[in-house]
Amino acid sequence: MSQDTRDPFTYALSSNSAWAGYKSHQNPDFFPRLASGQSPSILWLGCSDSRCPETTILGLQPGDIFVHRNIANIISPTDINTSAVIEYAVAFLKVKHVVLCGHSACGGAAAALGDARVGGVLDTWLTPLKAVRNAHADELAAIRDDKARAVRIAELNVEAGVKVLMANVVIQDHIKERGLQVHGTLFDIGSGRVRDLGHGTGKPRAAAFGGGGAGDGEVIRGRHATLVFRSEGAGMQAR
Ligand SMILES: [Zn+2]
């Protein structure tokens, strides 16, 4: 097997090995507990963008979030993929929060704003976002700054997506039966902050949708170790 860690996949495997060793060292129960089952409290619906990894940006852990991500976090009522994830997370896993998250500098938003053909199935996929753009054409055209315009269409896309979520019968039933909460949010890549836009069941809060996870309120004080990333591969230094 090649040990050339300049290859991204080889490096990723070496990084995974270091991470798994680090987590086990820090908390020997971590993986056995993870393997015993999942009870995430959040369903995250976000963009596939590599800069928006939900568990990482929320500072949470494997097991905390059930996830569906697609290009430009488009929530379409006829998309069976999104619908199946929602149904499983809400009706079976009984998550407490459904979080739809858009983000700044979204390529899908830029494509919809530019109205250029991307090609293949992508133009079809982006159709709902283009409809959002058309519905708010005047407001968007009045925004001179390109970045600000992209943020605004991302916000409008989240608002439209939350409306689709609130019309989902599974979500409606669980809001009534057990107080399921639905949130629309936006991740600002430039600052790393997730902002609650106040759509859905909740009002904007500074400390958004926290709590309720398997490790809620639990601080695990494990043995100290440091993850070290070198060009020749990643590793762990235990103390
Ligand atoms: Zn995106």
Side-chain angles (χ1 to χ4, degrees):
M1 191 178 83
S2 168
Q3 291 301 311
D4 182 6
T5 51
R6 288 170 297 182
D7 171 65
F9 178 63
T10 307
Y11 186 84
L13 288 181
S14 121
S15 179
N16 162 257
S17 178
W19 171 80
Y22 171 81
K23 296 297 280 188
S24 295
H25 178 81
Q26 197 183 37
N27 177 8
D29 290 335
F30 183 79
F31 290 113
R33 187 172 163 184
L34 208 54
S36 70
Q38 65 169 333
S39 58
S41 57
I42 292 173
L43 165 62
W44 178 274
L45 305 167
C47 182
S48 300
D49 194 297
S50 62
R51 301 164 294 177
C52 308
E54 71 301 315
T55 304
T56 306
I57 65 176
L58 293 176
L60 296 177
Q61 297 293 330
D64 288 338
I65 310 180
F66 202 73
V67 182
H68 175 74
R69 289 165 63 186
N70 63 42
I71 291 176
N73 47 274
I74 289 171
I75 307 300
S76 176
T78 55
D79 176 15
I80 196 169
N81 188 346
T82 311
S83 302
V85 171
I86 291 170
E87 189 162 327
Y88 185 68
V90 170
F92 291 90
L93 294 176
K94 301 222 171 357
V95 295
K96 294 173 180 166
H97 302 270
V98 176
V99 181
L100 174 58
C101 188
H103 68 100
S104 62
C106 182
L113 282 171
D115 204 25
R117 285 207 184 170
V118 186
V121 74
L122 289 166
D123 291 307
T124 308
W125 177 254
L126 291 171
T127 300
L129 193 47
K130 291 176 188 168
V132 168
R133 177 205 65 200
N134 292 340
H136 300 271
D138 291 344
E139 180 190 347
L140 291 166
I143 302 172
R144 296 200 157 236
D145 181 67
D146 288 347
K147 286 182 185 169
R149 195 181 313 109
V151 166
R152 185 57 188 146
I153 194 174
E155 289 175 347
L156 292 166
N157 183 35
V158 169
E159 187 175 353
V162 168
K163 281 182 185 158
V164 175
L165 293 174
M166 295 298 283
N168 179 298
V169 290
V170 178
I171 288 179
Q172 285 180 346
D173 286 350
H174 285 258
I175 289 173
K176 266 188 239 156
E177 286 169 18
R178 61 184 181 86
L180 173 72
Q181 293 186 37
V182 178
H183 313 271
T185 65
L186 203 85
F187 175 54
D188 175 41
I189 294 178
S191 68
R193 304 281 172 165
V194 175
R195 178 161 52 94
D196 190 342
L197 299 177
H199 307 309
T201 55
K203 293 183 175 131
R205 284 176 291 176
F209 53 81
D216 192 22
E218 179 184 0
V219 177
I220 296 167
R221 298 193 189 283
R223 285 178 289 169
H224 191 77
T226 308
L227 275 178
V228 181
F229 296 91
R230 298 190 188 91
S231 58
E232 65 267 26
M236 181 185 74
Q237 283 182 344
R239 285 184 198 167

